[in-house]
Amino acid sequence: MDTNESPVTLVDAPRNELSAWLAAIVDSSDDAIVSKTLEGVITSWNRGAEILFGYAAAEAVGQHISLIIPEDRRAEEDDVLARLHRGERVEHFETVRRAKDGRLVPISLTVSPVRDAQGAVIGASKVARDITERQQSDELRARLAAIVDSSDDAIVSKTLEGVVTSWNRGAERLFGYTAAEAVGQHISLIIPEDRKAEEDDVLARLRRGERIDHFETVRQAKDGRQVHISLTVSPVRDAKGTVIGASKVARNITERIHAEEALRRVHAELEERVRARTAELSSANESLRVEMAERQRVEQERIQLLTRLVLAQEDERRRIARELHDQLGQQLTALRLTLEMLKVQSVGRTELRVQVETLEALARQLDQDVGFRVWELRATALEDLGLQAALTNYVCTWSKHFGIRAQLLTGQSTDERLTSEAETMMYRLAQEALNNVAKHARADHVDVVLERSAEQVSLIIEDNGVGFDASNAETVGEGLGLIGMRERAALIGPDLQIESTPGRGTTVIVRAPVVALAIKSA
């Protein structure tokens, strides 16, 4: 090819070749290109029109353009045809057309008059571009803008230099500045002096493309109020992904902060009250501990005193028993001897003899009573044989002495002994209970039960006498010696129970822990 030759242009090409070029351009266009007469009859229909509206060229050419015009848009076509008759051009007219499948297609329409060789308008050329995506994008932006504008949160955008570029209604409510006052101003408009360093750090992080989530800080409203906010900052990028600004979403957390502060104050106050109450309780516990210690000391002293008293009573019992045996026994012996002498001298004197025999009977009864009391005061069998043998002997002798049927019932016998103190206390409790029966119960039968297990010894004295009102035991008990029995029982730690019902007898129950098994009986 000669480089000096000029390139062939469409203008230089023959007319039939030019027509072919133009037809190829029209047919390969992505836009729908349609021509029609002034009466609206379609005369050409390119591939772009086939793709956009769904009709093939064979289906569309020769049809009226209303083929693709919705009913509610017919007036638009009439207006377009009128303007074409006047030789006008209609540019970028946005409207809606209906495709073959019934879809409504939003388009941007440019209509140009077609003229003949004399310049008369004989038809029209229409170029239609599908703007569905753009319209959807516009609608999406509109919805997003509406969401942003109606949000309760403050949503603000700014450049990387900190200049405010948008300011929604939430920002107006939160900070007090209108959009007109804020847009174009530096974001420092709402940043307190002592928080300026925060903004520098935020801008630096944005330039690096970082996102800042839920950053709690303080901003200053137009009226000077300090507003606590939770701030989320996101980078805004252009089409190439370059960070060109920032979007900020600020939520008012003032009420939450105040509520948290109030909660902290309440918590601190509660902790202070707890500390104070704890100190009071500690002081009260200490006082109670001291009081309890004092009570225990007094109780120990009382028990020690009572123990000494009981031991002293036992000593006194033994002393009285010796004196009764030694002195009164000798005197009774002398009395019996004297009565025998008188009896010898009363031979033949009937009246005197009867009196002497009466005195002898009284002396014998007195001797028996004194002997019983001496035996009762001095429990020799208890010391020698142990509790079970002593009680067996005592119950038998007591029954004969008072003429009341009585029996001792025991469980499995054992040769193990309790401490002498425990055996003495149990023995004396049995004595006092039986003496109460003799004095007050008017009973004709008594059961004494002595049982022993590995943990405790139980002593039960049950009579069939008149009984008494157990609910009034404290008052009645003074006359029955129950207080003394309880104090004596407390020395060995047993559980003493009194059960009684008027007319149905009385039951005394003593349960004592086995405090020692130290001595084997002989």
Side-chain angles (χ1 to χ4, degrees):
M1 180 178 178
D2 189 350
T3 57
N4 291 325
E5 292 182 3
S6 300
V8 178
T9 65
L10 289 178
V11 175
D12 298 328
R15 180 173 296 278
N16 59 347
E17 192 175 322
L18 177 60
S19 297
W21 272 100
L22 291 174
I25 291 171
V26 168
D27 203 42
S28 62
S29 174
D30 289 334
D31 293 333
I33 302 177
V34 177
S35 63
K36 65 177 182 177
T37 65
L38 289 178
E39 289 73 30
V41 177
I42 299 170
T43 56
S44 69
W45 187 269
N46 76 334
R47 290 182 185 175
E50 289 182 338
I51 295 169
L52 183 59
F53 299 117
Y55 292 100
E59 295 176 294
V61 173
Q63 299 293 325
H64 194 272
I65 195 67
S66 60
L67 177 71
I68 60 172
I69 300 176
E71 288 293 331
D72 60 343
R73 299 283 180 162
R74 295 293 169 84
E76 287 181 359
E77 185 64 17
D78 296 338
D79 180 61
V80 168
L81 288 173
R83 293 175 66 180
L84 285 171
H85 279 292
R86 294 194 299 271
E88 296 178 16
R89 175 183 170 90
V90 180
E91 291 190 10
H92 306 303
F93 171 56
E94 294 189 0
T95 185
V96 175
R97 292 295 180 259
R98 186 181 298 279
K100 184 178 180 179
D101 60 6
R103 286 180 300 108
L104 291 176
V105 183
I107 61 172
S108 175
L109 188 64
T110 297
V111 187
S112 302
V114 176
R115 301 175 186 274
D116 61 11
Q118 289 75 36
V121 177
I122 59 172
S125 170
K126 291 186 173 184
V127 180
R129 176 165 293 174
D130 188 353
I131 59 171
T132 301
E133 290 186 3
R134 195 204 76 191
Q135 196 172 72
Q136 288 175 346
S137 178
D138 289 345
E139 289 175 358
L140 178 60
R141 281 196 294 271
R143 283 198 298 272
L144 291 175
I147 291 171
V148 168
D149 202 45
S150 62
S151 174
D152 288 334
D153 293 333
I155 303 176
V156 176
S157 63
K158 65 178 182 179
T159 67
L160 289 178
E161 290 71 37
V163 177
V164 178
T165 55
S166 70
W167 187 269
N168 76 334
R169 290 183 185 176
E172 290 183 339
R173 288 190 294 270
L174 184 58
F175 301 117
Y177 294 98
T178 64
E181 292 175 301
V183 173
Q185 299 293 321
H186 195 272
I187 196 67
S188 59
L189 177 71
I190 59 170
I191 301 176
E193 286 297 326
D194 60 343
R195 300 278 180 164
K196 294 293 174 69
E198 284 181 1
E199 185 63 17
D200 295 338
D201 178 63
V202 167
L203 289 172
R205 293 175 65 181
L206 284 171
R207 291 188 183 97
R208 296 194 297 269
E210 296 180 19
R211 174 185 170 90
I212 301 167
D213 280 322
H214 306 301
F215 170 56
E216 295 191 0
T217 185
V218 176
R219 292 295 179 259
Q220 187 163 309
K222 184 177 181 180
D223 59 7
R225 286 180 298 110
Q226 297 282 303
V227 182
H228 294 270
I229 63 170
S230 174
L231 189 63
T232 296
V233 187
S234 305
V236 175
R237 302 174 187 273
D238 61 12
K240 297 178 182 178
T242 304
V243 178
I244 58 173
S247 169
K248 291 186 172 184
V249 180
R251 175 163 294 177
N252 190 353
I253 58 171
T254 302
E255 289 187 4
R256 195 201 79 193
I257 294 296
H258 289 166
E260 288 176 353
E261 290 175 353
L263 185 61
R264 281 194 293 272
R265 287 196 299 272
V266 170
H267 185 67
E269 182 181 347
L270 183 59
E271 283 190 339
E272 182 57 33
R273 288 183 179 179
V274 169
R275 281 194 294 271
R277 185 59 179 157
T278 301
E280 289 178 6
L281 290 175
S282 178
S283 177
N285 284 340
E286 179 60 22
S287 298
L288 182 60
R289 188 191 65 77
V290 171
E291 183 180 348
M292 290 298 294
E294 179 62 19
R295 286 184 179 181
Q296 289 176 354
R297 185 189 64 78
V298 171
E299 180 63 16
Q300 287 174 355
E301 289 182 355
R302 189 185 74 84
I303 291 175
Q304 290 172 359
L305 181 61
L306 186 58
T307 301
R308 289 197 296 269
L309 178 60
V310 170
L311 293 176
Q313 287 176 344
E314 289 299 317
D315 290 340
E316 185 66 12
R317 284 172 182 263
R318 285 191 287 271
R319 186 189 65 78
I320 294 173
R322 284 194 301 270
E323 290 182 355
L324 285 174
H325 181 270
D326 295 343
Q327 296 180 13
L328 192 55
Q330 291 176 4
Q331 292 173 356
L332 286 172
T333 299
L335 177 60
R336 285 199 305 274
L337 291 174
T338 301
L339 289 173
E340 286 178 2
M341 290 175 59
L342 287 174
K343 188 176 180 181
V344 172
Q345 295 175 4
S346 64
V347 174
R349 300 172 64 182
T350 304
E351 183 178 348
L352 179 59
R353 187 178 181 84
V354 170
Q355 290 178 350
V356 170
E357 288 177 351
T358 300
L359 288 175
E360 278 184 327
L362 289 174
R364 282 194 298 274
Q365 182 62 47
L366 181 59
D367 191 23
Q368 290 176 1
D369 289 342
V370 170
F372 179 78
R373 295 304 176 191
V374 169
W375 170 81
E376 191 177 42
L377 287 171
R378 185 177 181 181
T380 306
L382 180 65
E383 297 172 3
D384 297 338
L385 304 176
L387 180 61
Q388 182 172 324
L391 280 179
T392 301
N393 186 25
Y394 182 80
V395 170
C396 180
T397 305
W398 180 89
S399 176
K400 290 178 180 178
H401 184 77
F402 289 104
I404 300 173
R405 286 186 300 114
Q407 59 179 342
L408 176 67
L409 306 174
T410 61
Q412 184 177 1
S413 62
T414 175
D415 58 357
E416 291 179 319
R417 298 279 301 272
L418 301 177
T419 61
S420 60
E421 292 83 359
E423 289 189 339
T424 300
M425 295 301 174
M426 296 289 280
Y427 183 78
R428 294 306 183 194
L429 286 171
Q431 276 189 322
E432 291 186 30
L434 287 171
N435 285 333
N436 278 335
V437 173
K439 292 177 183 177
H440 307 290
R442 299 201 294 273
D444 60 14
H445 181 77
V446 181
D447 284 331
V448 180
V449 181
L450 180 65
E451 294 179 337
R452 178 168 179 168
S453 67
E455 294 80 22
Q456 67 180 12
V457 175
S458 298
L459 176 65
I460 303 170
I461 300 93
E462 184 176 16
D463 68 65
N464 65 348
V466 295
F468 61 91
D469 184 1
S471 63
N472 196 26
E474 292 300 323
T475 302
V476 176
E478 292 183 7
L480 300 180
L482 298 182
I483 295 175
M485 290 176 66
R486 290 187 188 281
E487 289 185 346
R488 183 182 291 274
L491 296 178
I492 53 173
D495 175 21
L496 176 66
Q497 294 177 291
I498 309 294
E499 298 176 359
S500 186
T501 303
R504 296 187 180 181
T506 300
T507 302
V508 178
I509 304 170
V510 181
R511 292 188 177 91
V514 176
V515 293
L517 303 172
I519 305 173
K520 291 278 187 178
S521 62

